[in-house]
Every structure is written in C-alpha cells, then in structure tokens.
Amino acid sequence: MWFLGIDIGTTHVKAAGVTDDGTLLEPGRVRTPTGTVDGLACHDAEEVWRAAADLVARYARTTAAPYGRLAGVAVASFGQEESVPVDRHGNPLHPSLAWWETWPEPALDTATADLVSSFEHYRASGITHRPDQTPERTAHLRRAHPEVWRDTARWVDFCTFATHRMTGEWTAAASQITHSQCFDVATLAPDSRLMDRLGMDPGMFAPALHAGADAGAIRPDALPGVPLAPGARAVVGGHDQVVAARQAHAADGARVLDSIGTSEYLMVLADTCRPDRGAWELGVDWERSWTADGFVLGHPVPTGKVVQLLAELCYGGDFDALFAGLAAARPGALPGLSVRLHDASAAGAGLLTLDGLPAGARPGDVVRRCLDQLSDAVREAADRMCVLAGIRAESVALMGSLFRRPEMAGHRAGRWDVPLRVLPLAEPVAHGAALLARDALTAPPAPPRPPAARTTQETP
C-alpha cells in the first residue's frame, strides 16, 4: 500500500509516493503544459490534469508497482492566483494566465482596486493586493470574455480542480482560497461586499477545508491504470509552499522556512493572526497553515528569477558555471554595485536594474554581489516577520531546488547569523503532499525513511 503526492508547479508536474511504513519513493516528473493567450503564458486546467494523470499512471506501473495499491492522495499546487472558470459540470471554460504574467491594462474599476489595496481590507483578508489575484482576473474575464463569465459556475484553483477530477467532490484548501482576497483569513467567512463588486457569490468557491481533511473517495475511473486500495481517498492538500512547510516543520520544529524555486518564498509560522499596518507596509501575506488554528506569514522575493537572469546574461544560461563562479567570487567585491528590484506589476519595467556596475567586472563577482544584497534583504524581512509573529528565528529550514545547490546554501549560511538546515526531501512539495495523505489516512504516523532507489526519470 502506498500514498501519492501530486505537485502542480510552474515548470513541472511531479508525483511522489510514500509507503504506509514511511519509505519515501523516488519522485517522477513531467513538464507542466504551458500555452499562450494573447501572447502571454497560460495554463489550461484540462491539459495539466491529463499530464498529471498520465504521470501518475506511469509512476504506478514503475516506481510504486512493488508497493501494491494506491490508498490515498493529496494535491498541492501553485497559488490560488492561478484559477480557472468551470461550468456546472466542472468543465474548464478558459485557461488561466500564468501567475507571473500581467495584462498590459488593468480591468478592475478604480473603486474596487482602491478597496482591495487598502489597509482596511488587508486587516480582514491578510493578503496584499497584486494584479494576479482574483479581483483583477475575474474583472478581465468579465470584460474580455463575457460569454465565458456567463457560463461560469465556479472559480477554482488547480489544486481544487485536480482533486475534483479524482473524487467528483468540490473541496478547497484554506491555504489557497484566502489568496483570492474574498475571505476573512481569521474566520474564513466570505467577504460579501467585495464579492458583490466582483459579480461573484460565495457558492462560486468550493468549501474551504484545512490540509488533511477528507476530500472524498477516489473514483474507480479517475486514474486509469492505477490499482486502488479498497476505500482509497483523497485528502485536502493546498498551497504548495504551505504543504512543503508542514513537512519541514515536522522534521525539526523550525518556525522560519525559506524556499527557492522560480521565486523565493520566506515563511514564518504564527499562532495568532495580526495583519497590522507594519505587515501591510512590508508586503507580508497572512495565510492559513495546515492546522485549524495556525497561520503562515509569507513574503515573496524573485530570487530564483534573478539567478536565472544572471545565468543567461553572464554564463549563457549555464547554471553550473554560475554556481562555480559564485563559489570562486571574492567576498566584498564590487562594493559600489547596487541592485534595484522592480515592481512586478509595472508593465515593461523588467526584473531589476544594476547601478554602479564597473566595466570589466568579473561575472562571478556580479553574481555574488547581487545575491549578497538579496540575501540581506530577505534576512531583514525574516527578522521583521518574526517580530510580527512573536517568535525568535532560532533556526531556518531551507527548501527548494536552488538550496539543494551547496554553493547557494553555503552563500546563504555565510550571510545569515542563524543555524540553517537544508530539508533532505528531494521534492518537498510532492513528498510533503504524499506524507500529508499518509498521515491523514493512517494512525499513528510512522517517521519517513530514506528514499528508495531511483526507478523513474523525467518524461520530456
């Protein structure tokens, strides 16, 4: 018997398993299907689900085959910022604009934009307003595709959509649904005033449940080719970063967590919800954690995108050369170089500006100076977030693909005066989802064991 975690991410859809005794299985992956709408990147929910289902079928035939039947599954995905309209039968009506994209012109009316950007609204929703969230996206859909909006019965994130495909039941993770800005983060009560302005009603959102809650029985035809155990069920997963944070916290109790993939997401765990003016000015999100009474303070920084850009500009896209250059770079080099990150919502602004870059500067020194400043900025944000949460940063758990590079983890350790630990899970989101399903459906949970031998590889 084994349990499955599905991670719907920006670049890959991943599947990872864990047996009932806690043995972690080698993960499998496939590229996330990505298309375009009006020249902008988008994700089609049906295509993403087909890619996930095909990956799971291959995974069940190979890696998981020696462990019998599938007993449970949990799905994690990128944030609710990516959601799709579906009709009353659950069929998607339009792709989702990729979370890193914005339309050239805003569609939200000024009064509503002012409302969702206000501190008063932040005190209830806990979420800072950005142009990739539900208010702007539904406004654009109403304006550009009124026929689609007319047939829209629900507005669902990719985690909710995939879980519905397996169970036929509508359930949403609390860690996802509050990112819509349409709910009170503390009570999960719908914000009727905002929904009225958006032409929505609470029934367009699936019922919000906490991670690990029962999401329904897996239908026999939902995962063709995957043998199901009697009574196999899906449980609620959620926001990918929160699902990974659950496992990192379980490993050693760390309350400060930092993950770098496409973006860097700094998280601080809190027992109370206090979205005050200081948090609002810092741009901190308060979202629900995996427990009924817990919260996560989240702060995004585009570190992963900066690393990718530096690799392209300085090393022709060669990440190995970039990290070799970082390791060889001189500490304190290029003191006059300053990095300015741009507002992601400003059309055509680009990612960053380098001020004071001298002619003939060595690429490795440029990379180090950029990462020095980003690291220091994240450390400062961590200190301020810990004050907001009422805790001390006694240690930090590092997650994500970039922190599995020893040069990156070593650089961060050299800048921060706090113990750092790299989470050993190869895929913290997918494995974290699998362990969430196992822990929710078996009792008592057994500790995870080292990964089994590799038996599956990436599918092009």
Side-chain angles (χ1 to χ4, degrees):
M1 187 169 66
W2 62 287
F3 300 86
L4 170 69
I6 299 174
D7 169 19
I8 300 174
T10 301
T11 57
H12 290 94
V13 177
K14 303 168 186 177
V18 59
T19 65
D20 54 351
D21 68 355
T23 299
L24 301 176
L25 308 183
E26 186 72 18
R29 59 171 60 189
V30 65
R31 295 287 297 187
T32 304
T34 304
T36 59
V37 171
D38 298 328
L40 301 174
C42 68
H43 294 125
D44 183 282
E46 197 65 63
E47 291 181 3
V48 171
W49 169 244
R50 284 199 298 268
D54 290 345
L55 172 62
V56 171
R58 289 192 297 272
Y59 194 80
R61 291 195 305 267
T62 53
T63 303
Y67 303 98
R69 296 176 177 271
L70 174 65
V73 61
V75 183
S77 72
F78 38 54
Q80 192 272 346
E81 287 78 0
E82 284 216 43
S83 290
V84 293
V86 300
D87 64 20
R88 61 189 181 89
H89 302 293
N91 300 312
L93 299 173
H94 198 270
S96 167
L97 192 68
W99 61 265
W100 64 89
E101 297 275 29
T102 56
W103 286 287
E105 298 293 334
L108 199 62
D109 66 272
T110 301
T112 305
D114 289 344
L115 169 64
V116 295
S117 299
S118 68
F119 170 61
E120 288 70 26
H121 185 71
Y122 173 80
R123 283 197 301 180
S125 72
I127 304 296
T128 57
H129 179 60
R130 296 178 292 275
D132 60 359
Q133 290 165 316
T134 285
E136 179 64 37
R137 295 198 169 202
T138 55
H140 183 273
L141 198 61
R142 289 195 307 273
R143 175 183 293 184
H145 303 280
E147 75 288 353
V148 170
W149 187 250
R150 184 183 59 247
D151 294 335
T152 298
R154 290 187 182 271
W155 181 251
V156 299
D157 61 86
F158 279 66
C159 173
T160 296
F161 181 82
T163 303
H164 177 264
R165 274 288 186 265
M166 289 185 286
T167 66
E169 304 289 338
W170 287 113
T171 56
S175 62
Q176 288 278 28
I177 204 166
T178 53
H179 272 252
S180 67
Q181 289 198 294
C182 293
F183 291 81
D184 185 295
V185 67
T187 66
L188 298 181
D191 185 334
S192 299
R193 180 177 64 156
L194 177 58
M195 290 195 194
D196 285 345
R197 283 179 171 269
L198 299 177
M200 306 181 77
D201 65 73
M204 296 182 75
F205 295 90
L209 300 173
H210 295 288
D214 182 34
I218 303 175
R219 298 184 300 185
D221 60 345
L223 296 169
V226 180
L228 299 178
R233 304 192 73 79
V235 304
V236 173
H239 188 192
D240 50 8
Q241 301 287 11
V242 173
V243 170
R246 172 187 180 271
Q247 197 54 39
H249 177 68
D252 65 2
R255 295 178 66 86
V256 182
L257 310 104
D258 197 12
S259 177
I260 300 183
T262 306
S263 183
E264 179 169 9
Y265 198 61
L266 176 66
M267 293 170 281
V268 174
L269 307 184
D271 297 323
T272 58
C273 183
R274 296 183 302 197
D276 60 16
R277 188 171 292 274
W280 179 61
E281 292 173 350
L282 183 59
V284 169
D285 288 333
W286 290 77
E287 58 184 305
R288 300 302 293 255
S289 76
W290 53 92
T291 65
D293 56 358
F295 299 87
V296 177
L297 285 75
H299 183 62
V301 181
T303 305
K305 293 182 181 179
V306 170
V307 170
Q308 182 178 3
L309 178 62
L310 293 173
E312 293 170 353
L313 294 177
C314 299
Y315 296 97
D318 187 338
F319 280 84
D320 290 334
L322 177 142
F323 285 111
L326 173 64
R330 298 167 295 165
L334 305 180
L337 176 61
S338 176
V339 180
R340 290 189 298 114
L341 295 177
H342 297 159
D343 182 357
S345 64
L351 180 60
L352 55 80
T353 295
L354 301 181
D355 296 320
L357 177 63
R362 297 195 307 177
D365 291 340
V366 174
V367 170
R368 176 160 190 143
R369 179 62 176 166
C370 290
L371 293 184
D372 283 353
Q373 294 191 49
L374 284 173
S375 176
D376 294 349
V378 175
R379 182 69 174 95
E380 180 182 355
D383 288 340
R384 295 175 66 183
M385 290 165 67
C386 286
V387 171
L388 292 169
I391 67 168
R392 294 181 59 188
E394 297 179 349
S395 65
V396 179
L398 304 181
M399 306 179 292
S401 57
L402 284 187
F403 279 136
R404 297 188 68 80
R405 302 290 307 228
E407 303 91 343
M408 190 71 183
H411 173 268
R412 189 58 60 91
R415 304 296 299 183
W416 288 20
D417 56 347
V418 63
L420 306 179
R421 185 183 69 85
V422 178
L423 189 68
L425 294 181
E427 295 293 348
V429 177
H431 273 136
L435 287 162
L436 172 64
R438 192 279 306 259
D439 294 348
L441 296 171
T442 64
R449 296 184 178 184
R454 180 186 297 272
T455 55
T456 60
Q457 298 179 2
E458 178 175 343
T459 302

